[in-house]
C-alpha cells in the first residue's frame, strides 16, 4: 500500500475563523497584570528597534534567562530558541542560521558550510517535548509539526470534544502594529482597515476580531485575528495572529501599506499554545481564575507562576477554549504544566484539521485563496456595516457587486451519505451529472461519524438539503449540502452574572 | 505452504488451501494511523500482481492496497465495513482485507519472506 501518502497531506494549521473562532488572539501585556508593565514597555521597545530588521540573518543565542521574567527581552530576531538545521524535503529555504545555544533539538546537517544551500525545516520551542511525547511529525508551512501523538487522530479528536487537548500552534505568525510616537486606537485601527473589510475602529479594548486581508481584486490574502489590548498604555497598539503559511506574505503586505510612524513588529520571540475543549476552562481557571469571566473573543494578560501570558478565548476547533501566547522559554514549562492535568492530552495537526472541518472553519490555502472573495467563501459577515457603506476596503467593487448579485460560486458544507470520504479536488456533480463544483477539504469526521467536506458549488446548488454527487476514484458517491457547522459550536458567548462584570 | 510473504508496498499474503489471504502489514497500519474506511473489491474481480486491489482510508487520506498475486477475488472481509478499526487492531490477522484465487503461484517467489521484510523495514528507516 502507499504508506507515504497520508503523511504528505497536511492538515495545516492555517486558520480561518468565521464567527471569530480565532486562532491565537494575543495582545501586548498590560500593566496591572502583576509585574507585566515593565515587560510590556521593554518588549515593545525591543520590538520597535527590530521593526526594520526582517527576520533573516544573524541569530543570537537562546532567549533570555527564563528565571528572570523582567529581564530585558532577547533580541526578537531570534526566531525560536530551538531552530534546528535539518534537511527537510518540504521546507522552503530558510535564511536563519542555526541557534547556537540549541542542544535539545535533533540537528542534522550541522556540517553544512555557510555557502551551501541547505533546506531547513523550522521547529517550534516545543519540538523536544513533542519528540518526548512520541509525536509523529509532518512538514507544514516549513515547520516540522506533530501530525499526531501516540493516541492517534481519532482519539485526539474525540478527546478534544469530550475533555481538553493541547495544541502547539507556535508556527503561526504573531505581530504587533504600533504607532511609533503613541496615539490613539482610531489611528492605528484606520491604518489596518485599509487592508481589511472589518470594523476595527469599533473594536473595544480586550476584544478580538476575526477579519480578512484583501487584495485589490477583492480576493482573500489571509484570514487573521486582530486584538485590541486593554489598558491606556496599550492605546494605539494592535495584536495580530495570522496563518503560518502566509505570515511572510501578510507581514510584507501590511508593512508596505503602513505609513511612516506606524510599525509592524513581528513577535518572533513568542510561542502559541491552544487549549481546547469543554474542560479547558476548568483547567485554565485553576491557574488563572479570571478566565472564567472571559467570554468568547476576548483577550487578557495574566501571570502563571513566572510566565507572562496573553490569553484569548478563541480557537479553531469549534469547542470552547483558549489560546495562550508566551515567550519561547516559557512554552515548554507551560505545556508541561497543562499536560499535567488529567483532563488534558496533547493533540496534533491531524486532529486539528478534522476538528476545524467539523466546525465548518476554513483553512486558508484549501478552502480559500487569493482568488476567493469573502462572498464566495461565505464570509460576508466579516464586512462591517460602516465599511459596506463607505466601500473603503480593497476590492470593494467586486465584493459589493457579488453581495448584490450573488457570486459565481459559494462555499458549502457537504455530508456524505455513505462512508467514502470526499477529499480536496474531488469534482462535485449535480444529480443530472453536470459538473457544478469542487471539494476543497474533506475528511472523515470522528464526531459526525461520517465523512464531511467543504467545497465550492454554483449558487443554485447551494441550498441545504440539495443532493449532489462527488466523484471519488471514478465512482459517484452521494452527498448532501449541509449547513455549517457539522458539529455545533460550543463557544462561551455569555458569562453568568456571578462570574463578573469585566470582560 | 503457509508461510507469510511480504511486498515492498507493505502487503502480506498467506496461502490457505487454494486461496491467498491478503492484508496490510502492522508497519503499514501504524503508518496509516486510524483507519476509517476500507473499500473492498467485488467478488470475482480479476487483479494483477502489484496493481490496485483495494483502498484503505485514514482520517486524513486514502491509500491503495496492491494485490500481492494475480488472480481472482474470492472473498472479502465484510467485517471491515462496519469495523475498519480492525485493520489497526489486528492488521495481520482479523484485519485481513481479501482473498485471491491465485493464477500463478510462481509469483510468490518474487516476494519477501519475514526476515527479508524486516530487513527491508530497517532499510527504510535509514
Amino acid at each position: 500500500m502507499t504508506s507515504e501518502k497520508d503523511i504528505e497531506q497536511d492538515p495545516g494549521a492555517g486558520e480561518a475563523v468565521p464567527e471569530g473562532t480565532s486562532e491565537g488572539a494575543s495582545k501586548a501585556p498590560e500593566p496591572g497584570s502583576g509585574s507585566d508593565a515593565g515587560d510590556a514597555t521593554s518588549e515593545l521597545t525591543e520590538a520597535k528597534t527590530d521593526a526594520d530588521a526582517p527576520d533573516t540573518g544573524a541569530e543570537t543565542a537562546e532567549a533570555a534567562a527564563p528565571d528572570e521574567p523582567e529581564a530585558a527581552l532577547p533580541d526578537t530576531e531570534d526566531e525560536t530558541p530551538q531552530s534546528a538545521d535539518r534537511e527537510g524535503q518540504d521546507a522552503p529555504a530558510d535564511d536563519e542560521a542555526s541557534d547556537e545555544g540549541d542542544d535539545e533539538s535533533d540537528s542534522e546537517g550541522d556540517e553544512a558550510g555557510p555557502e551551501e544551500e541547505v533546506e531547513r525545516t523550522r521547529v517550534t520551542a516545543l519540538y523536544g517535548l513533542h519528540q518526548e511525547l512520541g509525536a509523529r511529525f509532518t512538514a507544514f508551512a516549513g515547520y516540522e509539526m506533530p501530525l499526531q501523538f501516540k493516541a492517534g487522530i481519532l482519539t485526539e479528536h474525540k478527546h478534544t470534544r469530550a475533555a481538553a487537548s493541547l495544541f502547539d500552534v507556535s508556527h503561526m505568525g504573531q505581530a504587533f502594529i504600533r504607532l511609533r510616537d503613541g496615539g490613539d486606537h482610531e489611528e492605528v485601527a484606520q491604518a489596518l482597515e485599509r487592508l481589511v473589510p472589518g470594523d476595527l475602529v469599533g473594536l473595544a479594548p480586550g476584544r478580538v476580531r476575526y477579519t480578512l486581508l484583501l487584495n485589490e481584486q477583492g480576493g482573500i490574502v489571509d484570514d487573521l485575528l486582530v486584538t485590541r489590548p486593554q489598558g491606556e498604555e496599550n492605546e494605539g497598539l494592535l495584536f495580530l495572529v495570522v496563518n503560518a503559511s502566509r505570515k511572510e506574505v501578510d507581514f510584507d503586505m501590511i508593512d508596505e501599506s503602513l505609513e511612516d510612524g506606524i510599525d509592524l513588529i513581528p513577535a518572533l520571540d513568542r510561542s502559541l499554545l491552544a487549549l481546547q475543549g469543554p474542560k479547558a476552562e476548568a483547567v485554565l481557571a485553576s491557574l488563572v481564575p479570571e478566565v472564567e469571566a472571559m467570554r468568547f473573543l476576548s483577550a487578557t494578560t495574566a501571570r502563571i507562576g513566572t510566565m507572562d501570558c496573553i490569553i484569548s478565548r478563541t480557537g479553531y476547533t469549534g469547542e470552547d477554549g483558549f489560546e495562550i501566547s508566551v515567550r519561547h522559554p516559557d512554552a515548554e514549562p507551560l505545556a508541561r504544566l497543562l499536560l499535567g492535568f488529567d483532563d488534558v492530552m496533547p493533540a496534533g495537526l491531524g486532529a486539528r484539521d478534522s476538528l476545524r472541518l467539523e466546525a465548518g472553519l476554513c483553512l486558508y490555502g484549501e478552502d480559500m485563496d487569493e482568488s476567493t472573495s469573502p462572498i464566495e467563501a461565505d464570509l460576508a459577515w466579516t464586512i462591517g456595516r460602516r465599511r459596506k457603506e463607505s466601500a473603503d476596503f480593497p476590492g470593494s467593487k467586486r465584493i459589493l457587486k457579488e453581495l448584490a448579485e450573488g457570486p459565481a460560486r459559494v462555499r458549502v458544507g457537504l455530508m456524505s451519505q455513505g462512508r467514502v470520504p470526499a477529499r480536496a479536488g474531488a469534482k462535485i456533480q449535480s444529480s443530472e451529472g453536470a459538473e457544478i463544483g469542487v471539494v476543497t477539504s474533506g475528511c472523515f469526521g470522528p464526531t459526525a461519524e461520517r465523512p464531511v467536506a467543504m467545497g465550492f458549488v454554483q449558487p443554485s446548488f447551494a441550498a441545504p438539503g440539495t443532493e449532489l454527487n462527488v466523484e471519488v476514484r471514478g465512482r459517484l458517491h452521494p452527498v448532501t449540502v449541509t449547513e455549517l457547522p457539522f458539529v455545533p459550536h460550543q463557544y462561551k458567548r455569555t458569562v453568568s452574572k456571578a462570574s463578573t462584570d469585566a470582560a | 505452504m503457509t508461510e507469510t510473504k511480504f511486498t515492498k508496498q507493505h502487503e502480506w499474503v498467506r496461502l490457505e488451501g487454494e486461496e491467498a489471504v491478503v492484508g496490510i502489514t502492522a508497519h503499514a497500519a501504524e503508518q496509516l494511523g486510524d483507519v476509517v474506511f476500507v473499500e473492498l473489491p467485488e467478488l470475482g474481480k480479476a487483479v494483477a500482481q502489484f496493481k490496485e486491489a483495494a483502498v484503505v482510508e485514514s482520517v486524513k487520506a486514502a491509500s491503495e492496497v496492491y494485490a500481492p498475486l494475480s488472480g481472482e477475488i474470492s472473498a472479502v472481509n465484510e467485517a471491515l465495513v462496519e469495523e475498519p478499526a480492525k485493520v489497526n487492531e489486528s492488521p495481520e490477522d482479523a484485519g485481513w482485507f481479501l482473498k485471491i484465487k491465485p493464477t500463478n503461484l510462481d509469483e510468490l517467489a518474487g516476494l519477501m519472506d519475514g526476515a527479508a521484510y524486516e530487513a527491508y523495514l530497517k532499510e527504510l528507516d535509514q
Side-chain angles (χ1 to χ4, degrees), chain A residues 178-202:
Chain A
R178 187 164 202 252
L179 297 167
R180 204 177 293 168
D181 299 318
D184 60 15
H185 168 73
E186 189 172 339
E187 193 183 336
V188 71
Q190 280 173 346
L192 188 55
E193 275 193 2
R194 289 170 59 186
L195 300 176
V196 307
D199 171 17
L200 299 183
V201 169

Side-chain angles (χ1 to χ4, degrees), chain A residues 1-3 5-7 9-11 136 147-148 152-155 350 353-354 419-421 423 443-444 473 475, chain B residues 9-11 24 28 30-34 36-37 39 55-66 81-82:
Chain A
M1 53 160 293
T2 48
S3 52
K5 244 168 143 187
D6 45 310
I7 304 301
Q9 293 201 18
D10 296 321
R136 180 183 310 169
L147 176 69
Q148 63 178 68
I153 296 176
L154 281 183
T155 303
D353 191 41
S354 50
R419 308 194 67 137
V420 181
R423 310 220 185 236
C443 76
F444 178 77
R473 293 187 286 275
R475 290 213 222 111
Chain B
Q9 302 292 349
H10 310 286
E11 290 95 13
I24 65 174
E30 207 238 332
Q31 286 296 303
L32 196 52
D34 298 312
V36 297
F37 173 72
E39 186 178 295
V55 177
V56 56
E57 301 238 26
S58 66
V59 179
K60 294 211 46 57
S63 289
E64 274 129 21
V65 179
Y66 302 101
V81 175
E82 280 309 306

Side-chain angles (χ1 to χ4, degrees), chain A residues 130-271:
Chain A
H130 294 324
Q131 287 179 305
E132 197 185 297
L133 294 171
R136 180 183 310 169
F137 290 92
T138 188
F140 181 75
Y143 285 80
E144 196 77 350
M145 297 296 288
L147 176 69
Q148 63 178 68
F149 293 85
K150 291 199 175 124
I153 296 176
L154 281 183
T155 303
E156 291 169 26
H157 175 115
K158 289 182 189 167
H159 184 84
T160 308
R161 299 219 188 280
S165 291
L166 184 67
F167 301 82
D168 175 14
V169 290
S170 303
H171 53 327
M172 297 183 71
Q174 304 179 59
F176 295 97
I177 296 184
R178 187 164 202 252
L179 297 167
R180 204 177 293 168
D181 299 318
D184 60 15
H185 168 73
E186 189 172 339
E187 193 183 336
V188 71
Q190 280 173 346
L192 188 55
E193 275 193 2
R194 289 170 59 186
L195 300 176
V196 307
D199 171 17
L200 299 183
V201 169
L203 189 55
R207 296 292 291 162
V208 185
R209 184 87 79 226
Y210 169 76
T211 191
L212 311 169
L213 284 170
L214 299 174
N215 60 32
E216 290 301 321
Q217 295 73 46
I220 301 170
V221 173
D222 201 9
D223 60 337
L224 71 160
L225 290 182
V226 179
T227 299
R228 176 182 177 184
Q230 290 167 315
E232 259 181 53
E233 68 304 331
N234 288 320
E235 181 74 5
L237 185 72
L238 291 176
F239 190 82
L240 275 52
V241 179
V242 302
N243 283 310
S245 63
R246 302 293 283 170
K247 58 187 177 184
E248 277 93 19
V249 167
D250 296 346
F251 291 164
D252 279 348
M253 177 180 178
I254 296 171
D255 202 44
E256 240 190 74
S257 150
L258 292 177
E259 284 160 356
D260 261 2
I262 312 185
D263 296 317
L264 172 83
I265 306 150
L268 300 177
D269 60 337
R270 304 197 78 90
S271 290

Side-chain angles (χ1 to χ4, degrees), chain A residues 15-37:
Chain A
E15 311 6 274
V17 199
E19 304 185 324
T21 312
S22 13
E23 269 279 88
S26 303
K27 64 183 173 102
E30 74 184 90
S33 314
S35 30
D36 287 342

Side-chain angles (χ1 to χ4, degrees), chain B residues 7-121:
Chain B
T7 69
K8 287 209 156 101
Q9 302 292 349
H10 310 286
E11 290 95 13
W12 56 264
V13 59
R14 199 162 53 226
L15 284 184
E16 280 176 12
E18 299 214 341
E19 292 173 310
V21 188
V22 176
I24 65 174
T25 65
H27 167 88
E30 207 238 332
Q31 286 296 303
L32 196 52
D34 298 312
V35 174
V36 297
F37 173 72
V38 172
E39 186 178 295
L40 299 169
E42 281 174 21
L43 296 180
K45 179 169 182 210
V47 291
Q49 192 185 36
F50 304 137
K51 292 287 196 285
E52 184 190 313
V55 177
V56 56
E57 301 238 26
S58 66
V59 179
K60 294 211 46 57
S63 289
E64 274 129 21
V65 179
Y66 302 101
L69 302 173
S70 308
E72 192 187 289
I73 303 291
S74 56
V76 296
N77 190 355
E78 298 284 355
L80 295 186
V81 175
E82 280 309 306
E83 295 186 59
K86 262 202 166 61
V87 176
N88 298 108
E89 288 156 23
S90 178
E92 300 188 8
D93 190 5
W96 64 276
F97 275 60
L98 48 96
K99 296 186 185 179
I100 299 174
K101 236 195 185 106
T103 46
N104 182 3
L105 285 174
D106 290 341
E107 287 174 336
L108 278 171
L111 304 180
M112 293 179 272
D113 63 17
Y117 182 62
E118 287 300 313
Y120 173 61
L121 287 182

